[in-house]
Amino acid sequence: MSDDYNPPQTPLDVLHEDAQLIIVNKPAGLLSVPGKGEHLADCLMARVAAAFPGALLVHRLDRDTSGVMVFAQTPHAQRHLGLQFEKRQTKKIYLARVWGKLEPKTGTVDLPLIVDWPNRPRQMVCHDTGKQAVTDWRVIRSDEVSTRVRLMPKTGRSHQLRVHMLALGHPILGDPFYAEGPARDFPRLMLHSEELRLKHPDGGAALKFRAPADF
């Protein structure tokens, strides 16, 4: 990452907080965890820990992705939530705007992914050595240049949604890694973690958290 990291200085947006969980709405442009170097120390983990001492990381969103993230308040909650993500028991719904008219209205991308080592952190499709990656999509509406779509990943690979949309020929707008030309010329990556469903670590109650996108 370059030295021009200037994360937004917006107040922490807490959606829910109890003895086990903290749910926050991450702004685009803010790292989930610290990067290498003092200039990359500001991150959502640090901001959450400042407000909730003892908060623990459960999962991550890309720097340029906004939306719902969960942090744990206890080691028990961290283990419980981590297993839910590992066993694919959570349900994640993302909102994206992609280039062009995405058709048909619904579909599934099943393309294995692997890191593109010479160009990391970029990922790429590789049928020989890639790890399984599956994404369902559902079109909301289209305009002259783009399509608004909900993305439901069944797996949690790095850059999965971004590479899968690119593979369909519809890169996510504003994507600095995978979009080119006019598709890249947007003020931010148009990808937002809109909804997260999980089970509460204390009792297993089904919970749903949502945050609207700002695009």
Side-chain angles (χ1 to χ4, degrees):
M1 188 182 299
S2 64
D3 291 342
D4 61 353
Y5 174 54
N6 293 301
Q9 297 303 313
T10 52
L12 191 64
D13 185 2
V14 179
L15 304 175
H16 172 85
E17 181 252 331
D18 62 37
Q20 300 289 336
L21 304 176
I22 307 159
I23 311 293
V24 297
N25 181 18
K26 187 183 92 67
L30 178 66
L31 289 167
S32 292
V33 297
K36 294 181 180 179
E38 184 62 30
H39 67 295
L40 300 178
D42 187 12
C43 63
L44 188 59
M45 179 73 251
R47 295 184 186 186
V48 169
F52 302 95
L56 299 165
L57 185 72
V58 174
H59 66 129
R60 306 180 188 191
L61 291 177
D62 291 342
R63 177 192 64 174
D64 297 322
T65 303
S66 58
V68 181
M69 276 187 68
V70 57
F71 292 83
Q73 293 265 45
T74 66
H76 161 73
Q78 185 185 40
R79 289 191 299 271
H80 195 284
L81 294 164
L83 283 172
Q84 290 185 56
F85 278 92
E86 182 181 329
K87 295 179 178 180
R88 302 175 188 173
Q89 295 172 342
T90 60
K91 182 174 182 180
K92 295 169 279 187
I93 300 177
Y94 290 77
L95 182 69
R97 284 183 63 199
V98 302
W99 183 254
K101 187 173 184 179
L102 177 60
E103 294 180 326
K105 295 293 186 181
T106 62
T108 299
V109 185
D110 186 351
L111 292 172
L113 302 177
I114 192 172
V115 64
D116 182 1
W117 281 107
N119 301 297
R120 59 186 184 275
R122 283 177 58 101
Q123 310 288 312
M124 63 182 184
V125 174
C126 180
H127 293 280
D128 294 328
T129 58
K131 294 182 179 179
Q132 184 189 32
V134 181
T135 304
D136 292 337
W137 88 78
R138 184 173 69 251
V139 169
I140 302 170
R141 62 179 180 271
S142 300
D143 57 31
E144 294 81 5
V145 299
S146 69
T147 300
R148 187 175 291 265
V149 60
R150 282 197 170 91
L151 304 173
M152 289 74 73
K154 302 302 183 186
T155 52
R157 306 302 177 199
S158 180
H159 289 192
Q160 175 177 318
L161 303 179
R162 301 160 77 163
V163 178
H164 276 176
M165 291 299 98
L166 176 69
L168 292 178
H170 300 276
I172 297 176
L173 301 182
D175 193 328
F177 287 120
Y178 304 102
E180 297 180 352
R184 186 172 177 171
D185 189 22
F186 286 80
R188 59 157 291 186
L189 173 71
M190 300 293 182
L191 179 62
H192 176 78
S193 173
E194 182 180 51
E195 183 176 302
L196 176 62
R197 300 183 188 182
L198 49 82
K199 294 179 181 178
H200 198 282
D202 185 8
L207 302 174
K208 179 173 72 173
F209 303 101
R210 289 176 59 88
D214 64 359
F215 56 80

